[in-house]
Amino acid sequence: MPTTRDPLPYPKYENDATYCGFGPEEQRSFSKPTHLAQNDDPWNRLNATATLSSARRDVCYFDPKAPRDSLDFNLKSLYNHQQDLLRPKNETVFQRETFTEDHGRILKNRVKEEAPPGERTLSALVQWVSPRKETIDSVDGAIVSHHSAATNRGYSRKQDGGFYSI
């Protein structure tokens, strides 16, 4: 087989670009070339400003509070051998930054939003309890559907092993 075989069907189909034999004209979408436009805002501002994660990946970055090895990591954990004896292994390495707010480090590029004093919190919500006890086996008051316990013949059986009639 020759390598010049065209896998597309014959005759060639025409589309908007090839109809009448003329191709679309290229138009410049920007007034400046890319290498000059990158010196202007917002590209330059975004490129020059480092995020927390990109600053931490930098060669010159040094964090004196960061653990240097596994011993430092374990010593900085919240685990207290006097109070938390025989805790699971994963709980012995919980770090202060994960569970408390008083660690003094910035972990994300976010400003903490304080809740307005008049807002209700989750602890102030009251849970409603039904005044009368309802059985979970009752189909009265259930959501009407063909997927209920009363429609499955193998699921809803009488005490003697027979089927309920629907």
Side-chain angles (χ1 to χ4, degrees), residues 1-7:
M1 280 280 218
T3 59
T4 59
R5 181 178 174 271
D6 188 7

Side-chain angles (χ1 to χ4, degrees), residues 97-162:
E97 290 87 357
T98 308
F99 292 99
T100 62
E101 297 292 329
D102 62 346
H103 48 78
R105 299 183 74 183
I106 300 172
L107 300 178
K108 293 185 179 179
N109 280 339
R110 295 185 188 148
V111 177
K112 292 194 177 188
E113 298 176 5
E114 298 293 329
E119 295 281 329
R120 290 175 54 174
T121 60
L122 288 176
S123 61
L125 295 178
V126 179
Q127 199 173 35
W128 182 79
V129 180
S130 177
R132 62 186 171 104
K133 180 145 175 91
E134 297 178 12
T135 176
I136 59 170
D137 299 324
S138 173
V139 292
D140 297 333
I143 299 173
V144 178
S145 170
H146 60 279
H147 293 292
S148 66
T151 61
N152 187 356
R153 293 180 58 104
Y155 181 75
S156 53
R157 291 189 177 237
K158 294 181 181 178
Q159 293 290 336
D160 60 356

